[in-house]
């Protein structure tokens, strides 16, 4: 059984049908990429999965439980974390306070400390800057903070929305390395990216979105060699 | 010596404005709305305390506690019934107009129950005045209690916001409701809590205000409400230290203007100072938009 199963999802913005009936699955341990151009509906899908938007039709099932109508603030304690597009760190809180917000629903102080130590180990830069206000971090550091904050909830699946956006190529490599390490650590990853090449290089499987529909799906390596994908998304 | 006594009176009045302004600024910071009914919650607090003390012969302290409970419940109810359904409204004007409606509603309900005649308020501070410098300087007990309450509220509130998990959740909600929800923070609950705190403080302000100026009518809340709103904007709306500073400065300016310039012009001078401050620093005295790198 799939860990996360999205079925026949339809999402509207007012009268506009942004997501036109899509279905996909994420199995435990996989890295799944949703790729597609700007406006294809990638972010809308993630927002619907974590309850920030409600679908008109369709369902979202996580670990056998229908979470379609579960409000956003109850999602994280089910084991699903979402690193939103544009990082959305709390600019006026310190790095440390941001990380603790990530552990908001957890109560065991000892375990929270362990998670904090693990996040600091993975992102030494965050420990160096733990008392700095998050709004003054660089873009790459904010992305690390957003990821660290999500990991503080000890998720079994992590949804990442455009983690490479606005970052230099070196930083993009660094962020993707970290995503691979998170995956190797046993967390399932659902990755949304415009940088299709990078996303396909670390994903197991991928879905290609165009204007609210899935037009192609399959093994990430095979998709990378697909001629239409090469032309449309890989710039070859 | 008279300057000193005006100054102390100004700080005292300003402390009341500051406590009211805290409610405005916290609600604005978190719910991004101006709760124009906030002034009338003060008035309800005054009537609640007065009713307890006069009709039920309760101890003034009991009166204050009952006023706090009544206003806290009132604040939560107003938010849940009148404002929450409009949170997703297309225009932010909808909730603003509703707030004005709630303001009139509260005034008229109190008018129906208690009538339009001003009631004389019995001070909740049954302590003697403090006479200094051989009686040349008198500080009323109300003044001392008001200023002390203001300082205590400021310290407790700042500690709560910065040191507790709930306080930080409030800051998170004020910055980004969506991201806060992804952390597991219940936004509706957090906003309700903000209204509860703001309205509880309004009750304290109401009782202190009526103790210093012992006349209570259904319209008692409107002018201090507007002045406290000005104080919040003056200090930088959304900023808690800003509300404190704005409130106290406003009180001092008002009393000094009354004493040395003209009591008729005092309010005009207060608003003129606001206009000048906003021209020079549009975010208010302490409201600084944080430099965020992208």
């Amino acid at each position: 059984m799939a860990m996360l199963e999205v079925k026949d999802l339809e999402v509207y913005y007012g009268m506009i049908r942004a997501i036109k009936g899509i279905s996909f699955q994420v199995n435990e341990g996989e890295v799944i990429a949703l790729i597609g151009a700007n406006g294809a509906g990638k972010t809308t899908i993630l927002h619907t999965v974590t309850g920030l938007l409600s679908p008109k039709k369709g369902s979202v099932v996580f670990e056998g439980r229908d979470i379609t109508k579960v409000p956003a603030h109850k999602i994280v304690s089910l084991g699903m974390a979402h690193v939103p597009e544009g990082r959305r760190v709390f600019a006026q809180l310190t790095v440390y306070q941001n990380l603790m917000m990530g552990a908001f629903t957890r109560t065991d102080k000892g375990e929270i400390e362990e998670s904090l130590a693990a996040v600091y180990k993975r992102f030494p830069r965050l420990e160096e800057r733990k008392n700095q206000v998050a709004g003054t971090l660089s873009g790459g550091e904010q992305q690390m903070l957003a990821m660290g904050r999500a990991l503080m909830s000890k998720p079994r699946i992590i949804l990442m929305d455009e983690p490479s956006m606005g970052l230099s190529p070196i930083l993009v490599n660094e962020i993707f390395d970290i995503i691979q390490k998170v995956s190797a650590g046993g967390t399932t990853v659902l990755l949304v990216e415009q940088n299709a090449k990078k996303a396909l290089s670390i994903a197991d499987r991928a879905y290609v979105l165009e204007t609210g529909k899935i037009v192609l799906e399959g093994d990430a390596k095979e998709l990378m060699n697909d001629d239409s994908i090469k032309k449309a998304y890989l710039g070859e | 010596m008279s300057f000193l006594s005006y100054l102390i009176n100004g700080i005292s009045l300003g402390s009341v404005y500051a406590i009211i302004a805290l409610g405005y600024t916290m609600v604005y910071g978190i719910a991004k709305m101006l709760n124009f009914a906030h002034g009338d919650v003060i008035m309800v607090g005054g009537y609640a305390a007065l009713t307890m003390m006069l009709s039920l012969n309760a101890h003034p302290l009991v009166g204050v506690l009952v006023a706090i409970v009544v206003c806290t419940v009132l604040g939560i109810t107003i938010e849940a019934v009148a404002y929450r359904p409009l949170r997703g409204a297309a225009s932010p004007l909808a909730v603003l107009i509703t707030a004005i409606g709630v303001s009139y509603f509260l005034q008229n309900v109190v008018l129906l129950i208690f009538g339009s005649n001003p009631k004389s308020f019995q001070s909740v501070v049954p302590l003697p005045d403090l006479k200094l410098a051989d009686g040349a300087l008198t500080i009323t007990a109300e003044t001392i209690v008001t200023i002390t309450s203001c300082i205590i509220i400021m310290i407790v509130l700042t500690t709560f916001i910065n040191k507790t998990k709930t306080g930080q959740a409030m800051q998170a909600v004020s910055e980004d409701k969506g991201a806060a929800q992804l952390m597991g923070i219940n936004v509706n609950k957090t906003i309700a809590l903000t209204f509860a705190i703001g309205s509880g403080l309004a009750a304290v302000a109401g009782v202190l205000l009526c103790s210093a100026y012992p006349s209570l009518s259904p319209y008692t809340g409107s002018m201090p409400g507007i002045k406290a709103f000005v104080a919040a904007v003056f200090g930088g709306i959304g900023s808690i230290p800003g509300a404190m500073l704005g409130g106290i400065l406003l009180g001092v300016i008002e009393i000094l203007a009354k004493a040395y310039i003209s009591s008729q012009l005092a309010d005009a001078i207060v608003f003129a100072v606001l206009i000048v401050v906003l021209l020079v620093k549009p975010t208010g005295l302490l409201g600084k938009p944080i430099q965020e790198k992208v």
Side-chain angles (χ1 to χ4, degrees):
Chain A
M1 192 188 61
M3 185 184 208
L4 176 67
E5 179 152 27
V6 171
K7 234 191 224 157
D8 305 322
L9 204 66
E10 283 191 31
V11 186
Y12 282 70
Y13 287 110
M15 297 294 289
I16 300 157
R17 193 162 67 133
I19 302 297
K20 301 163 183 166
I22 67 151
S23 304
F24 64 91
Q25 296 184 354
V26 182
N27 298 311
E28 194 167 355
E30 280 185 315
V31 176
I32 297 296
L34 291 180
I35 59 174
N38 217 349
K42 306 183 296 294
T43 297
T44 306
I45 292 172
L46 290 198
H47 280 204
T48 312
V49 170
T50 45
L52 289 174
L53 290 171
S54 357
K56 191 145 197 171
K57 278 189 198 146
S59 65
V60 180
V61 177
F62 177 57
E63 293 182 333
R65 180 177 167 180
D66 188 338
I67 59 165
T68 320
K69 294 210 157 59
V70 175
H73 69 267
K74 289 194 176 146
I75 295 286
V76 67
S77 48
L78 300 178
M80 182 188 288
H82 181 164
V83 183
E85 182 181 14
R87 333 191 203 298
R88 290 168 76 172
V89 296
F90 301 114
Q92 295 181 50
L93 299 183
T94 64
V95 167
Y96 171 77
Q97 289 173 326
N98 265 279
L99 291 173
M100 292 319 272
M101 281 293 107
F104 185 79
T105 55
R106 298 174 62 189
T107 45
D108 187 315
K109 281 209 170 102
E111 282 183 22
I112 294 174
E113 282 302 314
E114 275 173 35
S115 298
L116 185 67
V119 167
Y120 281 157
K121 203 176 158 207
R122 187 161 274 153
F123 305 99
R125 203 93 62 85
L126 295 184
E127 185 165 25
E128 284 164 30
R129 310 204 163 205
K130 61 183 173 190
N131 294 320
Q132 197 171 320
V133 173
T136 61
L137 298 178
S138 73
E141 288 162 347
Q142 287 192 12
Q143 185 60 50
M144 291 176 192
L145 179 55
M147 289 165 74
R149 188 178 65 175
L151 289 172
M152 286 299 290
S153 69
K154 232 181 166 181
R156 289 190 295 285
I157 184 169
I158 189 162
L159 280 49
M160 297 201 203
D161 198 345
E162 304 277 6
S164 76
M165 202 197 339
L167 300 183
S168 71
I170 296 172
L171 272 170
V172 171
N173 287 338
E174 202 175 319
I175 294 291
F176 274 87
D177 277 349
I178 293 165
I179 297 173
Q180 278 184 302
K181 280 181 192 147
V182 168
S183 165
T187 310
T188 308
V189 176
L190 175 58
L191 175 66
V192 152
E193 260 293 345
Q194 279 193 57
N195 189 338
K197 203 175 200 168
K198 267 290 175 197
L200 290 177
S201 75
I202 66 162
D204 297 307
R205 292 186 300 119
Y207 294 84
V208 182
L209 263 107
E210 257 170 40
T211 57
K213 273 191 196 141
I214 288 173
V215 291
L216 211 58
E217 60 179 274
D219 182 85
K221 302 285 164 300
E222 281 170 23
L223 284 176
M224 241 201 292
N225 293 318
D226 185 288
D227 282 341
S228 63
I229 295 289
K230 274 187 181 169
K231 229 182 231 159
Y233 299 103
L234 304 178
E236 284 172 22
Chain B
M1 210 43 99
S2 63
F3 174 77
L4 201 58
S5 110
Y6 290 138
L7 189 66
I8 292 168
N9 279 338
I11 294 174
S12 170
L13 177 63
S15 298
V16 174
Y17 289 157
I19 298 171
I20 308 170
L22 281 174
Y24 266 114
T25 224
M26 285 177 71
V27 164
Y28 178 82
I30 287 163
K32 302 285 179 269
M33 68 161 288
L34 294 170
N35 178 18
F36 277 121
H38 191 58
D40 303 291
V41 176
I42 301 166
M43 172 272 297
V44 172
Y47 274 100
L50 188 68
T51 308
M52 286 308 290
M53 292 189 296
L54 284 188
S55 310
L56 303 169
N57 266 322
H59 187 273
L61 214 58
V62 176
V64 176
L65 289 177
V66 169
I68 293 175
V69 172
V70 167
C71 289
T72 305
V73 172
L74 180 65
I76 296 173
T77 312
I78 292 172
E79 194 275 325
V81 173
Y83 303 153
R84 187 176 300 177
L86 293 171
R87 206 168 288 148
S91 162
L93 274 181
V95 73
L96 189 72
I97 292 166
T98 306
I100 295 171
V102 171
S103 165
Y104 282 120
F105 176 78
L106 292 180
Q107 286 176 10
N108 285 292
V109 168
V110 172
L111 191 66
L112 269 178
I113 301 174
F114 294 96
S116 61
N117 286 339
K119 301 234 184 300
S120 82
F121 195 87
Q122 170 195 340
S123 172
V124 294
V125 191
L127 299 169
D129 295 347
L130 185 67
K131 287 192 178 2
L132 296 173
D134 295 325
L137 180 64
T138 306
I139 304 175
T140 65
E142 284 84 5
T143 302
I144 297 168
V145 170
T146 303
I147 297 174
T148 317
S149 313
C150 183
I151 294 169
I152 293 172
I153 287 170
M154 178 73 186
I155 293 170
V156 170
L157 206 57
T158 311
T159 313
F160 170 73
I161 298 273
N162 291 320
K163 301 283 176 220
T164 68
K165 195 167 155 181
T166 314
Q168 279 172 24
M170 288 172 94
Q171 276 179 280
V173 170
S174 107
E175 275 199 52
D176 187 332
K177 289 190 185 59
Q181 286 180 72
L182 294 180
M183 303 299 111
I185 298 167
N186 185 335
V187 168
N188 280 340
K189 248 193 192 163
T190 309
I191 292 178
L193 176 69
T194 311
F195 271 85
I197 295 175
S199 307
L201 292 180
V204 174
V207 171
L208 292 172
L209 185 74
C210 293
S211 298
Y213 304 87
S215 154
L216 182 60
S217 86
Y219 310 108
T220 294
S222 29
M223 205 52 192
I226 290 173
K227 296 242 181 81
F229 168 60
V230 170
V233 176
F234 193 43
I237 192 139
S239 153
I240 286 175
M244 277 329 236
L245 181 67
I248 288 170
L249 279 179
L250 202 74
V252 170
I253 294 170
E254 183 180 329
I255 296 288
L256 292 183
K258 267 188 185 146
Y260 293 110
I261 304 173
S262 146
S263 50
Q264 276 91 20
L265 278 179
D267 286 348
I269 291 166
V270 164
F271 288 105
V273 171
L274 171 78
I275 293 170
V276 172
V277 167
L278 290 186
L279 283 175
V280 179
K281 202 166 179 302
T283 50
L285 293 173
L286 297 186
K288 44 173 186 239
I290 194 154
Q291 301 274 316
E292 192 180 344
K293 284 190 198 167
V294 271

